[in-house]
Amino acid sequence: MTMRALAVQALSDDLSGLALVEMPVPQPDADQALVRIEAAALGFPDLLMTQGLYQARPAVPFVPGMESAGVIEALGEGARAAGWQVGDRVICGSTTGGVAQYGCFAADSLQPLPDGLSFAQAASLRVAYLTAWVGLHRIGRAQPGEWLVVHGAAGGVGLAAVDLARELGLHTIAVASSHAKLDAIRALYPVDHGLVGPTGVRSAVLDLTGGRGADLVYDPVGGDVFDEACRYTAFGGRLLVVGFAGGRIATVGSNIPLIKGFSIHGVRAGEYGRRFPDRGRENLAAIHTMAAQGRIRPQVHAAVPLDHWREAFAGMQNRQVIGRTVILPHARAPQTKKEPLESGSE
C-alpha cells in the first residue's frame, strides 16, 4: 500500500522545498500504532522546521506535522499490551509525521480523542493548550484575579492561553496586530480588554491595572513586544517566554528584572513533561478533561484538503490565521473548471 504525504525535500524560506509525494504506508514497530490520520494541525514550529530554524532539526527528507488525530488501524504487540485497540480514535503527538494519510506513533504518545471534539479540533488541542497550561499554571503559578497579558493572542498558542485564562479566573488583556483580529478573538472568547500592539501597550496596561502592571505576560512573539513587556510587568510578575514568532529574539539587561522586580521564565511544555514525567501525564490529563467537559474549545481557522497545503502554510506565514489551520489528508480538493487548483497544489 502507498499513501500521499507532504515531504520536506529541501530546507527553504519560501516553501519551494516541499512537495506532495507517494510513499509506502509505514508498518508499526512493537511499541507503535499505525494511525489513519484524519486531521493534522499546523503550528509555527512546523513552518520553522521547513526552514531549518526550529530547535528540532530532522534530517531531510521528512514529513512535517507535530500534531494530528485519527483512527488506529494496526498495532504492534507492545502497543496492544498497553491497552490500545484497532478502531480507537486518538490524538497523536510527535516531532514530525502528521501531514500524511497514515503515520506510526509511539503508543505512549497517544491520547484518546475527547468526546465532543472533531478530528480537526482534537488535532488542534495538544501543543497549544499544553503550552498554555504549563506556562500559566505550572510555571507561571497563575492565581485567580491576576492580570494576564497575552501577546500574539490570535495565533494558535496565544488563543489557547486566552481560552484557558477563563478557567484559571484571570483578567485577560489580549494583544494582537490588528483590530480585525481583536474582533475575532472577542467573538470566540470573552476578554477583559484588547489592544493593538506593539506600541502603546505599556501605557494601556498600566492604566487598565491601576498602575500595577501585568502579573503574567504570555509571549510567543518576542522582539518589540517583549521589549515593551519588560516595561509593564508588575513587581513580582512573571514574564513567560513561549516563542519568537515575531522573528527577532529579544535580549534584556539583567538590571531590568532586578530593578523592576519581575522574573523571566522559559516555557517548553514538551521538555517539562520529559523532565517531570508524572507531572507531564497530569498536564495531558488536565487538558483532556477540560476539553471533554467543554470547558476549553480549540479554534479551527480552516480545514483544507492535502492538495491545498501551500495555502495552509502561506496563511500561517502571512499571519492570517485565527487559531489553527488543519490539513485533512484524505479529503480530495474539487477539480472543476471554475476553481482551478494550480496555485494551491503540487
Side-chain angles (χ1 to χ4, degrees), residues 200-211:
V201 173
R202 173 181 177 269
S203 59
V205 169
L206 292 176
D207 286 345
L208 293 170
T209 60

Side-chain angles (χ1 to χ4, degrees), residues 23-230:
M23 62 174 58
V25 173
Q27 297 302 307
D29 293 335
D31 294 324
Q32 291 183 324
L34 172 66
V35 177
R36 174 187 162 99
I37 299 172
E38 300 294 344
L42 296 181
F44 202 69
D46 296 311
L47 177 62
L48 292 178
M49 268 192 269
T50 71
Q51 302 167 346
L53 299 178
Y54 193 59
Q55 56 257 33
R57 296 180 180 177
V60 174
F62 66 90
V63 174
M66 298 179 70
E67 47 187 338
S68 55
V71 180
I72 293 178
E73 291 226 338
L75 290 161
E77 292 181 7
R80 191 181 300 276
W84 295 108
Q85 297 181 16
V86 171
D88 284 347
R89 293 152 52 95
V90 293
I91 297 174
C92 314
S94 61
T95 303
T96 60
V99 189
Q101 293 182 316
Y102 295 88
C104 286
F105 302 94
D108 61 5
S109 73
L110 303 177
Q111 274 186 290
L113 193 143
D115 294 337
L117 262 60
S118 67
F119 283 115
Q121 289 175 311
S124 306
L125 173 68
R126 186 163 174 164
V127 171
Y129 281 86
L130 191 61
T131 301
W133 177 256
V134 170
L136 297 179
H137 173 67
R138 290 289 193 184
I139 297 174
R141 307 179 308 282
Q143 299 299 313
E146 288 190 312
W147 282 93
L148 164 70
V149 175
V150 179
H151 298 161
V157 171
L159 199 60
V162 170
D163 188 14
L164 186 60
R166 298 177 302 146
E167 273 293 300
L168 298 174
L170 302 174
H171 299 298
T172 303
I173 301 172
V175 181
S177 59
S178 70
H179 289 289
K181 286 185 176 181
L182 289 177
D183 290 342
I185 293 166
R186 289 190 184 100
L188 293 167
Y189 311 114
V191 296
D192 293 86
H193 301 281
L195 302 172
V196 174
T199 59
V201 173
R202 173 181 177 269
S203 59
V205 169
L206 292 176
D207 286 345
L208 293 170
T209 60
R212 169 176 170 74
D215 300 292
L216 285 160
V217 179
Y218 188 86
D219 178 29
V221 179
D224 293 345
V225 295
F226 177 91
D227 296 342
E228 189 85 341
C230 290

